[in-house]
Amino acid sequence: MPNLIEITREGRVALVRLNRPAQLNALNLALAEELVAATEALAADRSVGAMVLTGSDKAFAAGADIAEMADKSAEDMVERDFFAIWDRFAAARIPKIAAVNGYALGGGCEVVMMCDFAIAGEGARFGQPEVRLGVIAGMGGTQRMTRLIGRSLAMDLHLTGRTMRADEALRAGLVARVVPDAEVVSTAMAAAAEIAAHSRAAVRLAREAVAKAEELPLGEGVRYERALFHRLFGTKDQREGMAAFLEKRPARFHEPDEAAERGA
């Protein structure tokens, strides 16, 4: 049986490609388990600074695998806590960029939103069509989409099941950039390489601070950010980065101090 994901490395960046082309990269449990295990391993590898997740030219992922779910009962779904494994992908402490060509529908769109940001091709299409199957999103789609693009547009997509073009997704804030289809992966890899060149500790805490903005009131969020800012003054990377700025030279970041990242 072929691997359901393929991983290649370019310097400090890992390119992870979903590999179920005949099924338009439909997300079954086996793929989820393989992707989550790989993502957690990459997050623990200090030689990796960021990852890019992509699919094929036709589909990033056209949704969850309906054939795997169609005959399940409510008891089956509750007993297995179906889709809970994706919480581990979202929580993995590695910068994740989605590079999207083709369809990112249902679970595929939800995985895009679990990444830190997305770069889409001009031909990409996004949507949450679960209502057409008599169900709703189950991997966080209603929650993440509402936070990203607002209540009204999220309601539109979840209640109608319509598909959103890449230009609309960009205006709405669902994706960060739209580029020609042929440049999606290379653009995402370049962005990931830029991230991976920065201080590992600073990148991790920046991700954490931005994520907390969705959960905390402004005053609490500012205090949380400030505490992380203060913590970074215990790292070698802070000393190197500021010294390099003052000396007008590129920073040469060290491996981060484990003490500074512990608990972050």
Side-chain angles (χ1 to χ4, degrees):
M1 181 177 177
N3 292 335
L4 298 178
I5 64 170
E6 297 176 342
I7 303 175
T8 55
R9 285 279 300 273
E10 291 186 15
R12 289 178 50 81
V13 175
L15 174 63
V16 181
R17 188 179 296 274
L18 305 179
N19 187 36
R20 295 188 78 204
Q23 296 81 22
L24 296 180
N25 294 323
L27 305 170
N28 63 5
L29 180 59
L31 185 151
E33 290 174 342
E34 195 171 328
L35 177 60
V36 167
T39 302
E40 290 177 339
L42 291 170
D45 186 343
R46 289 183 176 276
S47 71
V48 180
M51 66 174 274
V52 171
L53 180 64
T54 194
S56 66
D57 292 342
K58 290 184 178 179
F60 176 83
D65 193 327
I66 304 304
E68 187 176 62
M69 296 186 289
D71 63 351
K72 297 288 190 296
S73 67
E75 183 180 1
D76 294 333
M77 301 300 270
V78 172
E79 180 66 24
R80 295 193 65 174
D81 199 5
F82 212 83
F83 286 158
I85 189 172
W86 288 102
D87 296 343
R88 290 167 52 194
F89 175 79
R93 296 174 66 218
I94 181 172
K96 299 181 286 288
I97 301 174
V100 184
N101 275 314
Y103 295 107
L105 304 177
C109 189
E110 290 173 289
V111 171
V112 169
M113 292 187 286
M114 292 177 204
C115 294
D116 295 316
F117 62 92
I119 295 173
E122 293 169 335
R125 299 291 184 270
F126 302 86
Q128 299 289 162
E130 289 89 348
V131 69
R132 298 182 180 184
L133 304 178
V135 293
I136 66 171
M139 292 161 57
T142 61
Q143 305 305 298
R144 291 190 176 92
M145 183 171 283
T146 302
R147 286 165 169 77
L148 282 170
I149 69 176
R151 178 183 183 277
S152 182
L153 189 51
M155 282 286 194
D156 178 4
L157 291 168
H158 284 273
L159 298 186
T160 67
R162 75 175 179 88
T163 299
M164 178 187 285
R165 296 168 58 92
D167 55 351
E168 183 182 1
L170 179 64
R171 292 194 301 272
L174 187 64
V175 304
R177 311 182 203 177
V178 173
V179 299
D181 291 344
E183 298 175 13
V184 170
V185 173
S186 61
T187 301
M189 290 294 285
E194 186 173 3
I195 292 167
H198 298 321
S199 159
R200 179 180 170 96
V203 166
R204 287 195 170 195
L205 294 187
R207 291 183 66 251
E208 183 174 325
V210 172
K212 282 291 184 182
E214 296 178 332
E215 303 173 15
L216 299 176
L218 178 60
E220 289 183 36
V222 170
R223 288 190 292 275
Y224 187 85
E225 173 193 272
R226 190 175 302 130
L228 298 184
F229 171 71
H230 292 165
R231 184 188 304 177
L232 286 166
F233 279 74
T235 65
K236 293 179 181 178
D237 281 351
Q238 173 270 327
R239 293 189 289 277
E240 164 62 15
M242 291 193 173
F245 176 83
L246 294 173
E247 296 166 11
K248 302 187 186 321
R249 61 171 174 81
R252 298 182 294 272
F253 288 117
H254 300 278
E255 285 299 302
D257 292 338
E258 291 185 12
E261 286 194 359
R262 193 173 297 124

